[in-house]
Amino acid sequence: MTTFKNTPYDQIEVGMEAKHERICAVDDFYISAHASGNLNPLHLPKEDRDGEDSGNYEGVAPSLWVASLISAVLGNQLPGPGTLYKSQNLRFLGRAYEGDRLISTVTVTEKLPDYVVKLATTVQCANGQMIVEGEAEVIAPRTSKVSKGVKLPGLTVRSHEHFDRLLDLARPLPPLITAVVVPEDRKSLGGALLAAENTLIEPILIGSKANILDAADRLGKDLAHCEIIDVAGHKQAAAKAVAMVREGKAQAIMKGQLHTDILLSQIVKRDKGLRTDSRLSHVFVMDVPGLDNLLFITDAAINIAPDLEAKVDIVQNAIYLAQALGLQQPKVGILSAVETVNTKIPSTMDAAILSKMAERGQIKGGIVDGPLAMDNAIDVDAAVTKGITSLVAGRAEVLVVPNMESGNMLAKELAFVAHAEVCGVVMGAQCPVILTSRADDDKARLMSCAVALLYAASQKA
């Protein structure tokens, strides 16, 4: 741990100097925005700082953040631990940007009574450009002190740039005509209307008209431009949505305030449902802070304990969705508790067979490997440590779980512990099925619609 030694008042001499260097990082700008509340887009690198879609996204370092680097020298070096500010004046002469190496300097200019010290203060770029200059008055410590420093808690700047990219891709597309089944509460109706406002879907609201209008009143929304089909029961509403897709009047289905099994029971009907040759499966799409790619998890919502035949469809469905979202050849990791085949662990046997089926072309479009444990599926160092040589190990973009329980726990751990943003759709039907949870927030519902739209567009293409 770093130690800091101060210079007490009686040892300070005019002309003493101390310096500190720091690289400007994007995360600093976001932390400054959080701490100060200053949301000026000039200081946020991912915002268009000139407006009018100029495409200029280079963030300017907040001036007071740059000036705050002076306090690091005063508090840690000269005078050091025990110093308190009395005053500071500043003149801003230039601007700093992401990647600039900044040098903050303090120089003692005068000693005053009552332990007060005046110092000239500057911050400049490594190339000599002056950014800030000024003068500080501080109350210097009276006695010598060595500080071991403080072990600060770590900070994670959470960004979800992968979801932002998907939204940017989806918004220009024609909206998906979507049968929204029983949007009779604020969350399900609000999510559908938010997606409509973002031009992702054109909602047809199916359910009790009175309940839908009541939910709209509670949201403060006007449904004058929405088609509402008044259907009393949940089962009847789900059947109506399925019929509209079969008749070509809707292109997708979105779950509202009804049980999943009621909706799916209508979708899987042999005669009047939306079955295809593939089994239905759910795919979570996750934007996990720190990962360089989207992460897909399947199946964590529909197939409780899938057998090998079901897993073939689960894997293939996930590959198709990953391709629709921009992964040309998704890397698919078949998860188990261990990374070796063990006849006492059936999921390792399934994983090995699925891998071989992909090699032989029975599963298409992705690179499939397994069994893999969670650590060596997504962490290269863990894979190397275990001696696993694979194009997938440490780089998996799609995770296929052994059963619904493990998948559901994994997805919710990533959402609630790792702060991932989550959305998902049901694959394997004649149209995308947007299967939202009661716990989903507006962003999750919005992104589920964006994913459905991108998948539908890829199928047309």
Side-chain angles (χ1 to χ4, degrees):
M1 182 179 291
T2 304
T3 58
F4 303 105
K5 182 179 180 181
N6 71 4
T7 303
Y9 179 82
D10 60 2
Q11 296 179 23
I12 292 175
E13 297 179 3
V14 172
M16 280 185 167
E17 182 179 276
K19 296 184 177 184
H20 174 71
E21 293 190 11
R22 182 177 179 129
I23 304 292
C24 262
V26 170
D27 284 357
D28 294 324
F29 302 172
Y30 286 108
I31 291 170
S32 173
H34 273 284
S36 68
N38 179 7
L39 304 182
N40 183 349
L42 283 168
H43 305 312
L44 303 177
K46 293 179 183 177
E47 301 295 326
D48 189 342
R49 64 189 181 93
D50 293 335
E52 300 180 358
D53 298 321
S54 69
N56 188 353
Y57 299 100
E58 185 181 24
V60 183
S63 295
L64 283 179
W65 174 82
V66 174
S68 73
L69 301 180
I70 295 168
S71 67
V73 192
L74 294 171
N76 296 339
Q77 296 174 253
L78 182 66
T83 300
L84 291 173
Y85 253 126
K86 198 167 186 292
S87 68
Q88 171 81 62
N89 62 53
L90 301 165
R91 292 175 294 280
F92 298 100
L93 307 175
R95 305 296 173 200
Y97 300 89
E98 174 192 355
D100 285 348
R101 183 160 61 93
L102 301 180
I103 303 168
S104 46
T105 305
V106 301
T107 306
V108 177
T109 58
E110 190 176 355
K111 292 180 69 175
L112 300 173
D114 299 324
Y115 303 97
V116 174
V117 177
K118 280 188 176 182
L119 304 99
T121 58
T122 64
V123 181
Q124 59 185 352
C125 288
N127 63 7
Q129 179 191 5
M130 189 65 68
I131 307 298
V132 183
E133 67 177 15
E135 184 178 68
E137 283 191 10
V138 301
I139 301 171
R142 302 182 184 189
T143 58
S144 296
K145 181 178 182 180
V146 176
S147 171
K148 293 182 179 179
V150 177
K151 187 176 182 181
L152 295 173
L155 295 176
T156 300
V157 178
R158 303 199 301 266
S159 62
H160 298 95
E161 58 189 32
H162 305 305
F163 272 9
D164 293 341
R165 176 182 61 82
L166 292 184
L167 274 177
D168 289 341
L169 291 173
R171 283 193 180 109
L173 298 172
L176 204 59
I177 301 172
T178 303
V180 187
V181 187
V182 195
E184 298 175 6
D185 67 310
R186 295 178 61 177
K187 279 196 170 184
S188 58
L189 179 60
L193 296 179
L194 179 63
E197 290 167 7
N198 281 266
T199 69
L200 301 176
I201 68 171
E202 182 181 316
I204 301 171
L205 309 177
I206 305 173
S208 166
K209 186 172 182 178
N211 291 343
I212 293 171
L213 291 175
D214 180 63
D217 284 341
R218 284 183 277 127
L219 284 169
K221 297 290 186 179
D222 182 6
L223 300 183
H225 300 290
C226 291
E227 180 180 355
I228 302 176
I229 298 177
D230 191 11
V231 177
H234 290 187
K235 180 179 177 181
Q236 291 79 4
K240 180 62 177 177
V242 169
M244 293 189 73
V245 174
R246 289 176 62 88
E247 294 163 6
K249 297 178 181 178
Q251 301 164 306
I253 291 175
M254 184 175 185
K255 175 181 173 288
Q257 192 187 24
L258 78 165
H259 289 297
T260 299
D261 57 351
I262 295 176
L263 178 60
L264 294 183
S265 67
Q266 298 300 314
I267 291 172
V268 300
K269 277 189 171 181
R270 293 194 177 277
D271 297 330
K272 297 181 180 180
L274 299 175
R275 280 174 172 260
T276 66
D277 292 337
S278 177
R279 180 183 294 259
L280 293 188
S281 64
H282 182 270
V283 185
F284 275 120
V285 184
M286 313 195 79
D287 191 341
V288 185
L291 282 188
D292 295 331
N293 52 268
L294 287 169
L295 187 66
F296 300 78
I297 296 176
T298 190
D299 178 354
I302 294 180
N303 294 283
I304 298 173
D307 57 17
L308 178 62
E309 185 178 358
K311 287 180 180 179
V312 172
D313 286 342
I314 288 170
V315 173
Q316 190 66 74
N317 286 341
I319 289 172
Y320 287 150
L321 182 60
Q323 288 177 326
L325 301 188
L327 300 179
Q328 292 184 351
Q329 195 174 35
K331 300 178 182 70
V332 182
I334 314 296
L335 294 184
S336 185
V338 296
E339 63 281 348
T340 54
V341 176
N342 185 329
T343 57
K344 295 181 180 179
I345 306 178
S347 60
T348 66
M349 304 286 286
D350 287 349
I353 296 170
L354 291 167
S355 300
K356 182 56 70 175
M357 291 177 74
E359 286 182 18
R360 299 288 169 86
Q362 292 172 271
I363 297 173
K364 298 177 173 60
I367 305 172
V368 181
D369 192 21
L372 293 171
M374 182 64 186
D375 57 349
N376 48 61
I378 63 170
D379 185 84
V380 172
D381 289 339
V384 170
T385 300
K386 295 287 184 70
I388 303 172
T389 302
S390 164
L391 294 173
V392 176
R395 304 173 182 85
E397 297 155 326
V398 178
L399 300 177
V400 180
V401 296
N403 52 51
M404 187 176 74
E405 293 166 297
S406 59
N408 195 273
M409 286 186 279
L410 173 58
K412 288 180 178 177
E413 285 163 0
L414 289 172
F416 290 97
V417 178
H419 307 291
E421 286 193 343
V422 184
C423 67
V425 296
V426 175
M427 301 287 292
Q430 293 176 26
C431 72
V433 180
I434 303 162
L435 195 66
T436 55
S437 165
R438 284 172 294 176
D440 285 346
D441 59 15
D442 284 347
K443 184 66 177 289
R445 295 170 191 271
L446 181 69
M447 289 309 308
S448 294
C449 292
V451 166
L453 176 56
L454 289 168
Y455 176 71
S458 75
Q459 294 301 100
K460 285 183 181 179

